[in-house]
Amino acid sequence: MTQRITILPEIITNKIAAGEVVERPASVIKELIENSLDAGATDISVEMAAGGRRLIRITDNGHGMSRADAMLSLERHATSKIRTDSDLDGILTLGFRGEALPSIASVSRFRLATREPDSLEGTEIIVEGGRVRDVKACGMAPGTVISVEQLFFNTPARLKFLRNPETEAARAADSVLRMAVSRADTSFSCISDGRELLRVQRGDLQRRLDQVLGRDTSGRLHAVESSIGDISITGFISGPSIVRSTTSGMFTYINGRFVRDRVIQHAIMQAYRGVIDRGRYPVTALFITLPPGEVDVNVHPTKHEVRFRRQPQVHDALQGALEGLLRRSPWLSGERQSPRATTIASTGQAYRERIAAAAQASLQMPSGAKHPTFPGRTASYLKPQEASSTSQAPTVGESAEPFEQETSSAHQRGYFSSLAVIGQFHAEYILCQSHDELVIIDQHAASERVAYQRLKQQCRVGGVESQRLLFPETVELSFTEAAAALRFQTDLARIGFELEPFGGTTIILSAVPRLTEGTGATQLIRDILSELNQRGVSAAFQDAVDELLSRIACHSVVRGVHPLDTMQITELLRSMDETDFAASCPHGRPVSHIVTLVELEKTFKRR
Ligand code: ADP
Ligand code: MG
């Protein structure tokens, strides 16, 4: 008999775990800050040297640990945060796996010093490459100080993988920044090689964003506050004038935890579709709270990804909340953040309360309403009353408006009608005055947006009309596309595509939406099918319909040079006021451009 299998010693299993949790200095910092926050710290400072390779030191004023706990904390799977299997479904802390400290200590020279507030002295533990070298008493302020020196000194492969110190320091600072945005009730500082990269004091979210984004940006964000059923969404988002070429300005949090999640990102970008150009990203600080049992954070060791039990609902709630705000184009009329904004607190207490409230709400929901239907995407098949009767009444904010009524009362302010028309320039632009601003309107983009919103409304009422093809088309699909085609055959018919399986992965397309006018229908159906596979039915259909409508809108309005008389201009401006998302054409190009008096004066050197 041969024995091939042995159980690995803990020093090796910790190193293996470190491979997942500790990728680089930034991940060490993330884990340690999470621990400090979980320990109730209100002041956290991070120091590093050589991009965190030589030294990372995190000092907090949290509740600290007793000597026994400090020893235990270095054992694998040792945690104070969960105890039973069922606790896994209701995680309120950032950590719970009990892996970070032993992992980090196994790949560095590690020093943990910690003191509980009511104890006279602290405990210091020195660990080298996972081996405890020394444990002794030490004098220190209450709280915890963890120093990580020579990270990866015993894992040369990992060490080689690190980038230069500046890059690592920048990533580490990003890590601190994300935590800082999530917890305005805690002060943070981050010092790298003696240089201060970040220092923020305790305050509210508004103030925190001023500090981390700069007032120029933060002062032009708009507050979102919305809740549907047990999902609540709060925070700030930018209008089309503040965009970035990467997602670096997008801070999104689920139950207080920073996530980079595909579903969340998609919902945000859907809401901004037609508001900002493709390939541009908004600035957001969004906090999504839902009952902890609804979201599984135990998907990946770094917990940056999550899994939602009701993914389409979260997606649609978020998209709906943002659309509720964006469709009003609040940046046009100078509408700034709502006063409520200041009450949006990103504090540990606020999270816990909100999460608890969400859990409570989900318990109290009548069983039939456990899965509320969110107006917006899924609602294309539902009348507004049906949609809202299955969802809990929204408590606050934008989503209280029925999403269905896009061309509704949202624009009674009449920004465009209030403009004093100066005239037309080049038969392409309308020039207007509003107080001390010169407003230039691209008439093509404006009429395109009006046409698009009107078509959308018509489509909602009458559905998508389809047109039989004279010669049915045979379309070769991939295996997964073909499966989706079969599964969603009836739904596809609803948006005008009639198709039948033709053996193997081939389908026959016999009718297409009239709106496509025969062009690109095959490509469109492919796009829809692959979307259907990736995401929920509702979102994919809405996309398809929107795509169709924006194509026709673009072709249905006059392009280029087109003289307009005053009546036509007034009519266009009035229609703009009845139109949602009026600030940009359906492709995301801006509809208007403002030149302020100050800018003009600067041009003429009067200032
Ligand atoms: P987890 O955070 O998943 O519980 P860790 O390995 O990160 O696992 O930490 C282990 C335990 O050590 C924590 O559960 C906590 O009780 C304790 N701990 C870690 N860091 C701190 C800290 N800064 N202050 C107080 N206790 C801490
Ligand atoms: Mg932890």
Side-chain angles (χ1 to χ4, degrees), residues 94-344:
L94 295 164
F96 61 88
R97 300 171 64 102
E99 278 185 335
L101 293 190
S103 299
I104 297 166
S106 74
V107 292
S108 67
R109 298 186 205 280
F110 183 95
R111 175 181 174 271
L112 162 67
T114 187
R115 187 190 135 190
E116 292 183 297
D118 54 3
S119 106
L120 292 175
E121 53 180 21
T123 305
E124 180 181 359
I125 305 176
I126 311 278
V127 188
E128 267 181 32
R131 291 201 164 77
V132 176
R133 296 289 186 212
D134 199 5
V135 181
K136 56 182 186 239
C138 70
M140 66 179 291
T144 302
V145 183
I146 291 180
S147 314
V148 179
E149 285 180 49
Q150 292 177 294
L151 182 64
F152 300 140
F153 80 97
N154 56 350
T155 50
R158 256 302 143 94
L159 196 57
K160 266 192 225 135
F161 175 75
L162 290 185
R163 311 281 290 275
N164 64 46
E166 293 75 47
T167 312
E168 294 299 341
R171 291 196 185 207
D174 274 348
S175 222
V176 184
L177 202 69
R178 286 171 192 158
M179 302 295 227
V181 170
S182 81
R183 290 288 299 270
D185 61 342
T186 304
S187 60
F188 289 85
S189 68
C190 177
I191 293 171
S192 167
D193 291 326
R195 209 159 57 88
E196 190 174 281
L197 301 182
L198 180 87
R199 180 172 298 275
V200 289
Q201 285 80 37
R202 270 173 254 169
D204 58 18
L205 178 59
Q206 171 81 68
R207 174 133 179 266
R208 179 59 46 98
L209 293 178
D210 289 348
Q211 292 171 323
V212 302
L213 299 172
R215 288 190 77 119
D216 246 15
T217 301
S218 69
R220 286 151 75 198
L221 300 181
H222 306 277
V224 180
E225 194 167 3
S226 148
S227 100
I228 298 183
D230 48 15
I231 304 174
S232 103
I233 295 151
T234 60
F236 291 92
I237 61 171
S238 65
S241 62
I242 304 175
V243 288
R244 307 232 163 131
S245 56
T246 65
T247 55
S248 64
M250 293 173 72
F251 295 90
T252 47
Y253 301 85
I254 309 282
N255 289 351
R257 190 188 299 282
F258 177 85
V259 293
R260 278 212 175 289
D261 183 76
R262 208 171 43 82
V263 178
I264 298 299
Q265 165 115 0
H266 187 269
I268 297 175
M269 294 318 291
Q270 285 294 99
Y272 273 93
R273 200 178 32 161
V275 175
I276 58 180
D277 279 341
R278 268 175 208 274
R280 301 268 140 189
Y281 301 89
V283 174
T284 65
L286 282 169
F287 300 87
I288 300 153
T289 323
L290 65 170
E294 291 282 317
V295 43
D296 185 1
V297 287
N298 195 13
V299 178
H300 191 267
T302 64
K303 307 178 221 103
H304 274 167
E305 283 167 42
V306 291
R307 213 172 277 140
F308 298 107
R309 198 159 69 81
R310 292 178 289 145
Q311 173 177 315
Q313 278 83 349
V314 175
H315 179 279
D316 294 355
L318 178 57
Q319 183 179 344
L322 302 200
E323 279 181 358
L325 179 72
L326 293 172
R327 74 157 56 95
R328 296 202 319 261
S329 314
W331 50 91
L332 273 185
S333 46
E335 182 191 326
R336 295 281 186 253
Q337 301 149 0
S338 80
R340 275 201 308 268
T342 45
T343 65
I344 301 173

Side-chain angles (χ1 to χ4, degrees), residues 496-525:
F497 288 100
E498 273 177 38
L499 49 86
E500 274 160 51
F502 188 64
T505 58
T506 308
I507 56 158
I508 294 197
L509 198 56
S510 55
V512 298
R514 179 179 296 284
L515 310 176
T516 53
E517 288 160 356
T519 51
T522 332
Q523 188 52 46
L524 197 57
I525 184 91

Side-chain angles (χ1 to χ4, degrees), residues 35 39 60 64-65 73 78-81 95-102 144:
N35 282 345
D60 73 44
M65 285 179 268
S73 75
T79 180
S80 55
K81 301 172 194 177
F96 61 88
R97 300 171 64 102
E99 278 185 335
L101 293 190
T144 302

